[in-house]
Amino acid sequence: MSKFPHSRLFHGPSKTVVISGPEIQVLDSQSGSCLSSTLDLDTALRDALAKAGPVRCAALDHEFTHVVTVADDKKMKVWETDGLKLLSERELPKKPTGVLFTKDGQTILTSDKFGDVFSYPLHPVPETPTQPTAKPKFVSHDNPSGGKLILGHTSLLTAFALTEDEKYIITADRDEHVRVSWYPQGYNIERCCLGHEKFVSALHIPHKAPATLISGGGDPVLKMWDWYTGKLLSDISILEHVEPYIKVKVPKGKKGRWEDEDGEAEGEGQKRGKRRKGKGKGKGKGKGKSEEPKMEAEEMEVEVKEEQDEHMANAEESAQRENEKAEPELETVLAVSKITSIGDGPSHILFSATGATALFSCAYPDTGQTNITACDLAKPILDFVVIEDDSAKGALVWVLLDGEWGGQNGDVKMVRAVRCRNGEFTVLDEAQSPLLASLNFTSLLPATPSQLSSLELYAALSTLPKNSTAEHDPMDRPDPDVDEGGDNAGGKQAAKMRTRKALAAALAKEQGASGSEEREGKRVKMDT
């Protein structure tokens, strides 16, 4: 039977929290035994979790006492790790893209697809009739849970991080922006780190180099910044090293769309049913009776031509869709999913990419080298966690895999242990750790094919890249003065151009006739 892959893992000295689909488990870090699980909750809460869908965002505080999760129902749940007691449930205004605890564990920050970052207290403050929660200023939508607006972008937020002193918050979005703002006074923008040409999907501030920011996304490079000044320190070329390991492909041309709040993909449904709106209504109004037959004939000719062109364009589109449906053309998309650093100084950067089967190591640029090595684990990597970072033995990394991808080959391995020392990888045996063995066997939870499909583990490959075709880029349009009726012109585009010209000619003629009638009326009035 199929099993849920582990999407997130939080490892502590005594407790380890693992997220698998919609479920949460707390394991003993030494023995691997299950201390508590959402599977043990009462029936009503179990049914609510099933309806909420898989967990999309999760975070743990530094003391390992509270875990916060958000699923598809947009409800932020705060749990106590001891016994997995549900402490609170608050509705978020928009679908979240990230969640984070502050150092003291008393504040939760969330980012969303609308481009906003909100803060919430760990425990909800009850509203009183005399002191209702005030609506945040400068926010374009209501917050049902009284969250405090920190800042807003005009694009989907993809990643954010607090600096080491928590005086600044760094945010990244789908429109290539990296912004440094004050925290919590996010309306004060300190700096922008500009230079990305594609979406930014991962940010990292090394603990041992708190003045440095590493960012990555759809660009063929990782970028290193002095985030306070916005100065670009280094570019690290990664595309040629990562691309051979990206095994999950997406249909070509299906980029730049994500689900809106009603579940309908943006851009769909907005241009349907409008093509013939208003045609045939109010003909001849405002015109002389002698001109009505002539104008109706011209309009009828335009409509017939439009219908013919539209029919041809639709036939071409249908044939194209059938071909794509039969054999869709796939393409490789780079989307860096996570970045971290290891070693003294630090000495190396670890990173992963969505849909790639390898974990990558890159020498820190300060060492004078940027050689990149890869550890191929045969299954797409969902996440990775640095368990220990020893200067002599190297870093111990646990890698979460989509073990169900491509079909099962023997025992499903959802977590692999890897040692990285001086940029070289060694894959370890899970038998060395009871916890690792538990994650690969006893802690795996059954899943149906529909539940696995609902995880949408690789959605970033199709939602983050933007369409660059003329149909989606308003700045990339053909010259209207150029004849579009040639052999190389698309039927739909040519039909549009002919329709525009016909309507423009009819409008100009109508305006000329109206102007003549108005001038004749004024002349008669002056004569009388």
Side-chain angles (χ1 to χ4, degrees):
M1 185 177 182
S2 299
K3 305 291 185 179
F4 275 115
H6 305 309
S7 56
R8 294 296 306 274
L9 179 73
F10 305 94
H11 181 270
S14 60
K15 291 181 291 188
T16 295
V17 178
V18 60
I19 309 292
S20 311
E23 310 295 347
I24 310 170
Q25 298 179 84
V26 180
L27 309 179
D28 185 283
S29 295
Q30 303 303 319
S31 66
S33 60
C34 183
L35 301 177
S36 54
S37 170
T38 51
L39 293 173
D40 301 327
L41 299 175
D42 60 76
T43 304
L45 193 49
R46 285 283 314 134
D47 293 341
L49 288 178
K51 293 179 181 178
V55 173
R56 300 298 180 186
C57 305
L60 203 71
D61 63 2
H62 289 259
E63 301 298 325
F64 271 68
T65 55
H66 299 100
V67 59
V68 58
T69 61
V70 188
D72 285 339
D73 60 352
K74 299 190 299 181
K75 291 183 179 179
M76 183 176 68
K77 299 177 178 66
V78 178
W79 308 80
E80 203 171 56
T81 54
D82 289 338
L84 277 181
K85 178 183 178 183
L86 181 60
L87 300 179
S88 65
E89 183 177 278
R90 283 166 279 185
E91 184 179 355
L92 300 181
K94 300 293 178 180
K95 289 183 178 180
T97 58
V99 63
L100 179 70
F101 273 101
T102 55
K103 281 185 178 179
D104 61 7
Q106 298 303 305
T107 303
I108 303 169
L109 299 177
T110 66
S111 61
D112 60 39
K113 290 188 175 183
F114 204 76
D116 293 332
V117 174
F118 285 93
S119 71
Y120 301 85
L122 175 64
H123 302 291
V125 178
E127 295 185 19
T128 61
T130 56
Q131 293 180 338
T133 302
K135 180 181 177 180
K137 296 181 179 179
F138 310 116
V139 64
S140 58
H141 52 273
D142 292 331
N143 190 311
S145 301
K148 178 184 177 183
L149 179 67
I150 300 299
L151 57 84
H153 283 227
T154 57
S155 178
L156 180 150
L157 274 178
T158 54
F160 73 99
L162 286 174
T163 59
E164 191 73 18
D165 58 8
E166 294 193 340
K167 292 183 178 180
Y168 299 91
I169 180 172
I170 303 178
T171 49
D173 65 26
R174 185 173 174 264
D175 286 340
E176 307 98 37
H177 304 132
V178 177
R179 183 198 297 178
V180 181
S181 308
W182 290 13
Y183 177 79
Q185 303 89 0
Y187 47 81
N188 287 319
I189 300 175
E190 182 67 32
R191 195 75 57 190
C192 287
C193 300
L194 302 178
H196 281 282
E197 297 182 358
K198 294 186 178 180
F199 62 89
V200 183
S201 53
L203 299 173
H204 172 62
I205 302 175
H207 292 296
K208 298 177 181 178
T212 303
L213 171 71
I214 308 173
S215 61
D219 288 297
V221 298
L222 297 180
K223 291 183 177 291
M224 294 188 61
W225 312 83
D226 179 336
W227 57 262
Y228 187 76
T229 63
K231 180 182 178 181
L232 179 63
L233 302 178
S234 178
D235 276 342
I236 305 171
S237 298
I238 63 171
L239 180 60
E240 62 180 341
H241 302 280
V242 177
E243 193 171 27
Y245 298 97
I246 301 177
K247 304 302 182 182
V248 180
K249 315 289 185 179
V250 294
K252 191 172 183 180
K254 298 296 183 182
K255 304 184 293 298
R257 295 161 56 185
W258 63 85
E259 296 293 314
D260 63 16
E261 295 303 315
D262 298 324
E264 183 180 2
E266 183 186 44
E268 294 292 325
Q270 297 178 3
K271 53 188 177 182
R272 297 174 183 169
K274 296 182 180 181
R275 195 171 291 173
R276 299 190 56 80
K277 183 177 179 181
K279 286 188 178 182
K281 296 181 180 180
K283 292 183 179 180
K285 289 185 178 180
K287 303 178 182 67
K289 292 184 178 180
S290 59
E291 295 188 12
E292 284 184 9
K294 185 177 181 181
M295 291 300 297
E296 287 182 4
E298 292 177 352
E299 290 178 1
M300 183 68 71
E301 182 180 353
V302 170
E303 288 186 14
V304 170
K305 186 64 176 176
E306 286 180 10
E307 290 177 356
Q308 293 174 347
D309 292 336
E310 186 177 325
H311 179 73
M312 294 177 59
N314 289 339
E316 292 178 3
E317 288 182 351
S318 298
Q320 183 178 358
R321 283 196 299 268
E322 288 298 324
N323 293 334
E324 291 176 352
K325 187 176 181 181
E327 294 182 2
E329 184 179 357
L330 303 179
E331 65 176 333
T332 300
V333 175
L334 172 64
V336 176
S337 56
K338 187 172 184 177
I339 307 170
T340 192
S341 53
I342 58 174
D344 296 330
S347 62
H348 284 80
I349 299 169
L350 296 181
F351 65 95
S352 60
T354 302
T357 59
L359 180 67
F360 303 94
S361 172
C362 171
Y364 206 75
D366 285 355
T367 63
Q369 300 178 345
T370 56
N371 56 302
I372 297 177
T373 57
C375 178
D376 190 5
L377 297 173
K379 298 286 186 176
I381 294 175
L382 304 180
D383 195 9
F384 65 91
V385 181
V386 178
I387 303 298
E388 66 178 28
D389 190 2
D390 187 276
S391 58
K393 296 187 296 183
L396 175 61
V397 185
W398 285 6
V399 186
L400 310 186
L401 304 174
D402 181 7
E404 297 286 347
W405 180 83
Q408 299 183 21
N409 297 318
D411 293 334
V412 177
K413 301 293 185 184
M414 297 296 187
V415 184
R416 303 298 299 271
V418 174
R419 180 75 69 177
C420 183
R421 184 173 181 269
N422 297 326
E424 298 297 325
F425 290 103
T426 303
V427 180
L428 306 178
D429 185 359
E430 67 267 13
Q432 298 178 0
S433 167
L435 175 59
L436 190 60
S438 175
L439 290 169
N440 278 322
F441 295 102
T442 59
S443 297
L444 293 180
L445 304 177
T448 64
S450 62
Q451 287 176 320
L452 291 178
S453 177
S454 69
L455 296 178
E456 299 180 344
L457 299 174
Y458 312 106
L461 298 178
S462 57
T463 59
L464 291 182
K466 293 187 293 186
N467 255 313
S468 58
T469 60
E471 183 178 353
H472 293 82
D473 186 359
M475 301 304 293
D476 184 16
R477 296 292 184 182
D479 188 347
D481 295 329
V482 177
D483 183 13
E484 297 288 341
D487 295 335
N488 297 327
K492 187 173 182 179
Q493 186 63 33
K496 286 182 178 180
M497 294 304 300
R498 284 193 291 268
T499 300
R500 289 195 193 105
K501 292 178 180 179
L503 292 178
L507 180 61
K509 191 171 184 179
E510 179 182 344
Q511 290 176 342
S514 299
S516 299
E517 291 178 1
E518 183 178 355
R519 288 192 297 272
E520 181 64 21
K522 289 182 179 179
R523 187 185 64 79
V524 171
K525 186 175 181 180
M526 291 177 63
D527 292 342
T528 57

